[in-house]
Amino acid sequence: MQTPTDHGDSADRPTAVAHIVDLVLERPARCGATRVVAVDGPAGSGKTTLAAAVAVEVVRRGRSVVLHHLDDQYAGWAGLDEALALRVREQVLAPLARGEPARWQRYDWEAGRFDRWESFVPPEVLVLEGCGSGARTLAAYLSVLVWVEAAPDERIRRGVARDGEAVLPNWRAWMESEQAHFAANRTRDRADLIVRSG
């Protein structure tokens, strides 16, 4: 395995974004005609910001892109499990690999259940963002795996700023579950690039 490139501080650094997109476009598609870049890492690390910047850069380079957030596919706060990876594989990646539209079910966090079905046609690049996007179950479909990290205190601060103090117990429980998930999947060790934020 190659040593991952460490991009140091700031998850939205233009050099990191450019490097990620360069790598994605250099690598062969492993999901039908779609190149998939997974942006994984612990909650509050800056994945969403980085993934959005990557999607913008892909468009700037004249390629079609879909930015897909796993927040929309978790089964709530306990949703970082093997069922998530199977759901993402069966609803999103496997159809794209067959050249078919992805058809996936969105989780309604307020209602506490899966709700409407959504779809998108195969893009040239899929940016798959969220904890668990780099799971081993999905690895065969990925062209690039990016790991984003930040200090735990900074991550909690961002989470509370975004979601409010009331979610802090859920955040702490999530942080424990993601530690176990990342250890089991060796996600950071398998990453092509590492980006630190904060």
Side-chain angles (χ1 to χ4, degrees):
M1 176 185 160
Q2 71 177 58
T3 302
T5 302
D6 189 329
H7 272 285
D9 293 336
S10 183
D12 59 353
R13 271 174 70 171
T15 52
V17 171
H19 189 175
I20 291 165
V21 176
D22 286 345
L23 194 57
V24 172
L25 298 181
E26 289 168 5
R27 296 270 179 93
R30 300 178 66 190
C31 186
T34 298
R35 291 172 169 85
V36 181
V37 53
V39 181
D40 205 337
S45 59
K47 297 182 302 298
T48 303
T49 300
L50 178 63
V54 168
V56 167
E57 178 63 13
V58 170
V59 170
R60 192 188 71 78
R61 298 195 193 186
R63 308 296 182 97
S64 63
V65 67
V66 168
L67 173 55
H68 185 67
H69 301 286
L70 293 195
D71 278 358
D72 296 326
Q73 289 200 273
Y74 299 131
W77 286 103
L80 185 59
D81 55 15
E82 187 60 23
L84 167 71
L86 295 174
R87 195 161 47 249
V88 173
R89 185 179 70 191
E90 297 308 311
Q91 296 181 3
V92 178
L93 299 177
L96 295 180
R98 296 190 299 265
E100 301 170 1
R103 185 172 182 270
W104 59 279
Q105 193 171 22
R106 181 184 292 273
Y107 187 79
D108 184 331
W109 285 79
E110 291 187 9
R113 60 179 170 79
F114 285 98
D115 191 8
R116 67 183 187 272
W117 287 87
E118 302 199 17
S119 182
F120 59 84
V121 299
E124 292 176 271
V125 176
L126 173 65
V127 181
L128 192 63
E129 179 274 326
C131 297
S133 61
R136 287 184 186 276
T137 306
L138 309 179
Y141 298 94
L142 305 182
S143 294
V144 175
L145 171 56
V146 179
W147 173 266
V148 187
E149 61 188 27
D153 289 349
E154 174 64 13
R155 291 167 44 217
I156 292 171
R157 185 195 66 76
R158 292 173 182 175
V160 170
R162 184 181 70 187
D163 299 327
E165 290 279 352
V167 303
L168 193 53
N170 289 326
W171 259 77
R172 293 193 184 280
W174 180 273
M175 290 172 79
E176 289 182 16
S177 67
E178 70 185 8
Q179 276 187 320
H181 170 85
F182 293 140
N185 285 271
R186 296 183 56 250
T187 314
R188 190 184 192 276
D189 294 339
R190 293 170 34 244
D192 298 292
L193 301 102
I194 296 170
V195 179
R196 295 194 305 273
S197 71

Coordinates of all heavy atoms in Angstrom, one line a residue, residues 83-137:
A83 N -25.2 -2.3 8.2 CA -26.4 -2.1 7.4 C -26.3 -0.8 6.6 O -26.8 -0.8 5.5 CB -27.6 -2.0 8.4
L84 N -25.6 0.2 7.1 CA -25.4 1.4 6.3 C -24.6 1.1 5.0 O -25.0 1.5 3.9 CB -24.6 2.4 7.1 CG -24.1 3.6 6.3 CD1 -25.2 4.5 5.8 CD2 -23.1 4.4 7.1
A85 N -23.5 0.4 5.2 CA -22.6 0.1 4.0 C -23.4 -0.8 3.0 O -23.3 -0.5 1.8 CB -21.3 -0.7 4.5
L86 N -24.2 -1.7 3.5 CA -24.9 -2.5 2.6 C -26.0 -1.7 1.9 O -26.2 -1.9 0.6 CB -25.6 -3.7 3.3 CG -24.7 -4.7 3.9 CD1 -25.4 -5.7 4.8 CD2 -23.9 -5.4 2.9
R87 N -26.6 -0.8 2.6 CA -27.6 0.1 2.0 C -27.0 1.0 0.9 O -27.5 1.1 -0.2 CB -28.3 0.9 3.1 CG -29.5 1.6 2.7 CD -30.4 2.0 4.0 NE -29.6 2.7 5.0 CZ -29.3 2.2 6.2 NH1 -29.8 0.9 6.5 NH2 -28.7 2.8 7.1
V88 N -25.8 1.6 1.2 CA -25.2 2.4 0.2 C -24.7 1.6 -1.0 O -24.9 2.1 -2.1 CB -24.0 3.1 0.9 CG1 -23.1 3.9 -0.1 CG2 -24.4 4.1 2.0
R89 N -24.2 0.4 -0.7 CA -23.8 -0.4 -1.8 C -25.0 -0.8 -2.7 O -24.9 -0.6 -4.0 CB -23.1 -1.7 -1.3 CG -22.5 -2.5 -2.4 CD -21.8 -3.8 -1.9 NE -22.8 -4.7 -1.3 CZ -22.5 -5.7 -0.6 NH1 -21.3 -6.0 -0.3 NH2 -23.5 -6.6 -0.2
E90 N -26.1 -1.3 -2.1 CA -27.2 -1.8 -2.9 C -28.0 -0.7 -3.6 O -28.5 -0.8 -4.7 CB -28.1 -2.6 -2.0 CG -27.4 -3.9 -1.5 CD -26.7 -4.7 -2.6 OE1 -27.4 -5.0 -3.7 OE2 -25.5 -5.0 -2.5
Q91 N -28.1 0.5 -2.9 CA -29.0 1.6 -3.4 C -28.2 2.5 -4.3 O -28.8 3.2 -5.2 CB -29.7 2.3 -2.3 CG -30.6 1.5 -1.4 CD -31.3 2.2 -0.3 OE1 -31.1 3.4 -0.1 NE2 -32.1 1.5 0.5
V92 N -26.9 2.7 -4.1 CA -26.2 3.7 -4.8 C -25.1 3.1 -5.7 O -25.1 3.3 -6.9 CB -25.5 4.8 -3.8 CG1 -24.7 5.8 -4.6 CG2 -26.6 5.4 -3.0
L93 N -24.1 2.4 -5.1 CA -23.0 2.0 -5.9 C -23.2 0.9 -6.8 O -22.7 0.9 -8.0 CB -21.8 1.7 -4.9 CG -21.4 2.9 -4.0 CD1 -20.3 2.4 -3.0 CD2 -20.9 4.0 -4.8
A94 N -23.9 -0.1 -6.4 CA -24.1 -1.3 -7.3 C -24.9 -0.9 -8.6 O -24.6 -1.3 -9.7 CB -24.8 -2.4 -6.6
P95 N -26.0 -0.1 -8.4 CA -26.7 0.4 -9.7 C -25.8 1.2 -10.6 O -25.8 1.0 -11.8 CB -27.8 1.2 -9.1 CG -28.1 0.7 -7.7 CD -26.7 0.3 -7.2
L96 N -25.0 2.1 -10.0 CA -24.1 2.9 -10.8 C -23.1 2.0 -11.5 O -22.8 2.3 -12.7 CB -23.3 3.9 -10.0 CG -24.2 5.0 -9.3 CD1 -23.2 6.0 -8.5 CD2 -25.0 5.8 -10.3
A97 N -22.6 1.0 -10.9 CA -21.7 0.1 -11.5 C -22.3 -0.7 -12.7 O -21.5 -1.0 -13.6 CB -21.2 -0.9 -10.4
R98 N -23.6 -0.8 -12.6 CA -24.3 -1.5 -13.8 C -24.7 -0.4 -14.8 O -25.3 -0.8 -15.8 CB -25.6 -2.2 -13.3 CG -25.3 -3.3 -12.3 CD -26.5 -4.1 -12.1 NE -27.6 -3.3 -11.4 CZ -27.8 -3.3 -10.1 NH1 -27.1 -3.9 -9.3 NH2 -28.8 -2.5 -9.7
G99 N -24.3 0.8 -14.6 CA -24.7 1.9 -15.6 C -26.1 2.3 -15.4 O -26.7 3.0 -16.3
E100 N -26.7 2.0 -14.2 CA -28.1 2.4 -14.0 C -28.2 3.6 -13.0 O -27.2 3.8 -12.3 CB -28.9 1.2 -13.4 CG -28.9 0.0 -14.3 CD -29.4 -1.3 -13.6 OE1 -29.8 -1.2 -12.4 OE2 -29.4 -2.3 -14.2
P101 N -29.3 4.3 -12.9 CA -29.4 5.3 -11.9 C -29.4 4.8 -10.5 O -29.9 3.7 -10.2 CB -30.8 6.0 -12.2 CG -31.1 5.6 -13.6 CD -30.5 4.2 -13.8
A102 N -28.8 5.5 -9.6 CA -28.9 5.2 -8.2 C -30.3 5.5 -7.7 O -30.9 6.5 -8.2 CB -27.9 6.0 -7.4
R103 N -30.8 4.7 -6.9 CA -32.2 4.9 -6.3 C -32.1 4.6 -4.8 O -31.9 3.4 -4.4 CB -33.2 4.0 -7.0 CG -34.6 4.3 -6.5 CD -35.7 3.5 -7.3 NE -37.0 3.9 -6.8 CZ -37.7 3.3 -5.9 NH1 -37.1 2.2 -5.2 NH2 -38.9 3.6 -5.5
W104 N -32.1 5.7 -4.0 CA -31.8 5.5 -2.6 C -32.9 6.1 -1.7 O -33.6 7.1 -2.2 CB -30.5 6.1 -2.2 CG -30.3 7.6 -2.6 CD1 -30.1 8.1 -3.8 CD2 -30.5 8.7 -1.7 NE1 -30.1 9.5 -3.7 CE2 -30.3 9.9 -2.5 CE3 -30.8 8.8 -0.3 CZ2 -30.4 11.1 -1.9 CZ3 -30.8 10.0 0.2 CH2 -30.7 11.2 -0.6
Q105 N -33.0 5.6 -0.5 CA -34.1 6.1 0.4 C -33.5 7.0 1.4 O -32.6 6.7 2.1 CB -34.8 4.9 1.1 CG -36.1 5.3 1.8 CD -36.8 4.0 2.2 OE1 -36.2 2.9 2.4 NE2 -38.1 4.2 2.4
R106 N -34.1 8.2 1.5 CA -33.7 9.2 2.5 C -34.2 9.0 3.9 O -35.4 8.6 4.0 CB -34.1 10.6 2.0 CG -33.7 11.8 2.9 CD -34.2 13.1 2.4 NE -33.6 13.5 1.1 CZ -32.5 14.1 1.0 NH1 -31.8 14.5 2.1 NH2 -32.0 14.5 -0.2
Y107 N -33.4 9.2 4.9 CA -33.8 9.0 6.3 C -34.4 10.4 6.8 O -33.7 11.4 6.6 CB -32.7 8.6 7.2 CG -33.1 8.3 8.6 CD1 -33.7 7.1 8.9 CD2 -32.9 9.2 9.6 CE1 -34.1 6.8 10.2 CE2 -33.3 8.9 10.9 CZ -33.9 7.7 11.2 OH -34.3 7.4 12.5
D108 N -35.5 10.4 7.4 CA -36.1 11.6 8.0 C -35.8 11.6 9.4 O -36.3 10.8 10.2 CB -37.7 11.5 7.8 CG -38.4 12.7 8.3 OD1 -37.9 13.4 9.2 OD2 -39.4 13.1 7.7
W109 N -34.9 12.5 9.8 CA -34.3 12.5 11.2 C -35.4 12.9 12.2 O -35.4 12.5 13.3 CB -33.1 13.4 11.3 CG -31.9 12.8 10.7 CD1 -31.6 12.7 9.4 CD2 -30.8 12.2 11.4 NE1 -30.4 12.1 9.2 CE2 -29.9 11.8 10.4 CE3 -30.6 12.0 12.7 CZ2 -28.7 11.1 10.8 CZ3 -29.4 11.4 13.1 CH2 -28.5 10.9 12.1
E110 N -36.3 13.8 11.7 CA -37.4 14.3 12.7 C -38.4 13.2 12.9 O -38.9 13.0 14.0 CB -38.1 15.5 12.1 CG -37.2 16.7 12.1 CD -37.9 18.0 11.7 OE1 -39.2 17.9 11.6 OE2 -37.3 19.0 11.5
A111 N -38.8 12.4 11.8 CA -39.8 11.4 12.0 C -39.2 10.1 12.5 O -39.9 9.2 13.0 CB -40.4 11.1 10.6
G112 N -37.8 10.0 12.4 CA -37.1 8.8 12.9 C -37.4 7.5 12.1 O -37.5 6.4 12.6
R113 N -37.5 7.7 10.7 CA -37.7 6.6 9.8 C -37.3 7.0 8.4 O -37.1 8.1 8.1 CB -39.2 6.2 9.8 CG -40.1 7.4 9.3 CD -41.6 6.9 9.3 NE -42.5 8.1 9.0 CZ -42.7 8.6 7.8 NH1 -42.0 8.2 6.8 NH2 -43.5 9.7 7.7
F114 N -37.1 5.9 7.6 CA -36.8 6.2 6.2 C -38.0 6.6 5.5 O -39.1 6.1 5.8 CB -36.2 4.9 5.6 CG -34.8 4.6 5.9 CD1 -34.4 3.7 6.9 CD2 -33.7 5.3 5.3 CE1 -33.1 3.5 7.3 CE2 -32.4 5.1 5.7 CZ -32.1 4.2 6.7
D115 N -37.9 7.5 4.6 CA -39.0 8.2 3.9 C -39.0 8.0 2.4 O -38.9 7.0 1.9 CB -39.1 9.6 4.4 CG -40.4 10.3 4.0 OD1 -41.3 9.6 3.6 OD2 -40.5 11.5 4.2
R116 N -38.8 9.2 1.7 CA -39.0 9.2 0.3 C -37.7 8.6 -0.4 O -36.6 8.6 0.1 CB -39.2 10.6 -0.2 CG -38.1 11.5 -0.1 CD -38.5 12.9 -0.6 NE -37.4 13.9 -0.6 CZ -37.0 14.6 0.5 NH1 -37.7 14.5 1.6 NH2 -36.0 15.4 0.4
W117 N -38.0 8.1 -1.6 CA -36.9 7.6 -2.5 C -36.5 8.6 -3.4 O -37.3 9.4 -3.9 CB -37.4 6.4 -3.3 CG -37.6 5.1 -2.4 CD1 -38.7 4.8 -1.7 CD2 -36.6 4.1 -2.2 NE1 -38.5 3.6 -1.1 CE2 -37.2 3.2 -1.4 CE3 -35.3 3.9 -2.7 CZ2 -36.6 2.0 -0.9 CZ3 -34.7 2.7 -2.3 CH2 -35.3 1.8 -1.4
E118 N -35.2 8.7 -3.7 CA -34.6 9.7 -4.6 C -33.7 9.0 -5.6 O -33.3 7.8 -5.4 CB -33.8 10.7 -3.8 CG -34.7 11.4 -2.8 CD -34.1 12.8 -2.3 OE1 -33.2 13.3 -3.0 OE2 -34.6 13.2 -1.3
S119 N -33.3 9.7 -6.6 CA -32.5 9.0 -7.7 C -31.6 10.0 -8.3 O -31.8 11.2 -8.3 CB -33.5 8.4 -8.7 OG -32.8 7.8 -9.7
F120 N -30.5 9.5 -8.9 CA -29.6 10.3 -9.8 C -29.0 9.4 -10.8 O -28.7 8.2 -10.5 CB -28.6 11.2 -9.0 CG -27.7 10.4 -8.1 CD1 -26.5 9.8 -8.7 CD2 -27.9 10.2 -6.8 CE1 -25.6 9.1 -7.9 CE2 -27.0 9.5 -6.0 CZ -25.9 8.9 -6.5
V121 N -28.8 10.0 -12.0 CA -28.2 9.2 -13.1 C -26.7 9.1 -12.8 O -26.1 9.9 -12.1 CB -28.4 9.8 -14.5 CG1 -29.9 9.9 -14.7 CG2 -27.8 11.2 -14.6
P122 N -26.0 8.1 -13.4 CA -24.5 8.0 -13.2 C -23.8 9.2 -13.6 O -23.8 9.6 -14.7 CB -24.2 6.8 -14.0 CG -25.4 6.0 -14.2 CD -26.5 7.0 -14.2
P123 N -23.1 9.9 -12.6 CA -22.2 11.0 -13.0 C -20.8 10.5 -13.4 O -20.5 9.3 -13.2 CB -22.2 11.8 -11.7 CG -22.2 10.7 -10.6 CD -23.1 9.6 -11.2
E124 N -20.0 11.4 -13.9 CA -18.6 11.0 -14.1 C -17.8 10.9 -12.8 O -17.0 10.0 -12.7 CB -17.9 12.1 -15.0 CG -18.5 12.1 -16.4 CD -17.9 13.3 -17.2 OE1 -18.4 14.4 -17.2 OE2 -16.8 13.0 -17.9
V125 N -18.2 11.7 -11.8 CA -17.6 11.6 -10.5 C -18.7 11.6 -9.4 O -19.6 12.5 -9.5 CB -16.6 12.8 -10.2 CG1 -16.0 12.7 -8.8 CG2 -15.5 12.8 -11.3
L126 N -18.6 10.7 -8.5 CA -19.5 10.7 -7.3 C -18.6 11.0 -6.1 O -17.6 10.3 -5.8 CB -20.1 9.4 -7.1 CG -20.9 9.2 -5.8 CD1 -22.1 10.1 -5.8 CD2 -21.3 7.7 -5.6
V127 N -19.0 12.1 -5.4 CA -18.3 12.4 -4.1 C -19.2 11.9 -3.0 O -20.3 12.4 -2.8 CB -18.1 14.0 -3.9 CG1 -17.4 14.3 -2.6 CG2 -17.3 14.5 -5.1
L128 N -18.7 10.8 -2.3 CA -19.5 10.1 -1.3 C -18.9 10.6 0.0 O -17.8 10.3 0.4 CB -19.2 8.6 -1.5 CG -20.1 7.7 -0.7 CD1 -21.6 7.8 -1.1 CD2 -19.7 6.2 -0.9
E129 N -19.7 11.4 0.7 CA -19.2 12.1 1.9 C -19.9 11.6 3.2 O -21.2 11.5 3.2 CB -19.5 13.6 1.8 CG -19.0 14.4 3.0 CD -20.1 14.5 4.1 OE1 -21.3 14.6 3.8 OE2 -19.7 14.6 5.3
G130 N -19.2 11.3 4.2 CA -19.7 10.9 5.5 C -19.0 9.8 6.2 O -18.2 9.1 5.6
C131 N -19.2 9.7 7.5 CA -18.6 8.7 8.3 C -19.1 7.3 7.7 O -20.3 7.1 7.6 CB -19.0 8.8 9.7 SG -18.5 10.2 10.6
G132 N -18.2 6.5 7.4 CA -18.5 5.2 6.9 C -18.4 5.1 5.4 O -18.5 4.0 4.8
S133 N -18.1 6.2 4.7 CA -18.0 6.1 3.2 C -16.8 5.3 2.8 O -16.7 4.9 1.6 CB -18.0 7.5 2.6 OG -16.9 8.3 3.1
G134 N -15.8 5.2 3.6 CA -14.6 4.4 3.3 C -14.6 3.0 3.8 O -13.6 2.4 3.9
A135 N -15.8 2.5 4.2 CA -15.9 1.1 4.8 C -15.4 0.1 3.8 O -15.4 0.3 2.6 CB -17.4 0.8 5.1
R136 N -14.8 -1.0 4.3 CA -14.2 -2.0 3.5 C -15.3 -2.6 2.5 O -15.0 -3.0 1.4 CB -13.7 -3.2 4.4 CG -12.4 -2.9 5.1 CD -12.0 -4.1 5.8 NE -10.9 -3.9 6.7 CZ -9.6 -3.9 6.3 NH1 -9.3 -4.1 5.0 NH2 -8.6 -3.7 7.2
T137 N -16.5 -2.7 2.9 CA -17.6 -3.2 2.1 C -17.8 -2.4 0.8 O -18.2 -3.0 -0.2 CB -18.9 -3.2 2.9 OG1 -18.8 -3.8 4.1 CG2 -20.1 -3.8 2.1

